[in-house]
Amino acid sequence: MTTLGKKQPSRASVDILSAINRYRHQRRLGRAWLVGDKRIAASTVAGLERDAYVREIAFNGSPYLVLTDEGKRLVGTRAE
C-alpha cells in the first residue's frame, strides 16, 4: 500500500533503519558504513537519504547517521 504516492521501503531497508536506531557505534569504512555488527553499503545509505529516512551529520568531526522523523515513524510502526 502506498501513502501519497510514495513507495514503501523493503524489509531489508527497515532492518537497516532499525540497526541505525539501535546501535550508537557507527563509523565509515571507505565506501561502506559499519553500524553495530552490520556492514551497510554507501549506496544503500544514499538511497535512504534520498527517501528522507536517514540523515548524515558530523559530530565532533566524525560522520554519524541519524533517523529523520519519517524514519523513526517507520521503525516505530514495525512492532512484530
Side-chain angles (χ1 to χ4, degrees):
M1 177 180 258
T2 59
T3 309
L4 299 174
K6 201 171 185 183
K7 216 168 82 169
Q8 291 293 330
S10 67
R11 185 176 185 97
S13 295
V14 174
D15 289 341
I16 290 169
L17 291 172
S18 297
I20 291 170
N21 190 37
R22 184 180 318 123
Y23 296 113
R24 292 179 186 233
H25 299 289
Q26 302 176 359
R27 65 182 176 149
R28 191 167 219 177
L29 293 173
R31 296 182 58 143
W33 281 87
L34 187 64
V35 178
D37 59 347
K38 293 186 181 284
R39 187 177 298 252
I40 305 168
S43 60
T44 304
V45 173
L48 291 172
E49 281 182 315
R50 191 174 349 130
D51 293 337
Y53 293 125
V54 74
R55 238 181 29 190
E56 182 180 339
I57 62 169
F59 185 71
N60 289 335
S62 301
Y64 191 71
L65 297 173
V66 294
L67 295 181
T68 61
D69 291 336
E70 184 70 19
K72 289 178 186 176
R73 182 197 61 79
L74 191 65
V75 170
T77 58
R78 186 181 168 225
E80 295 181 295

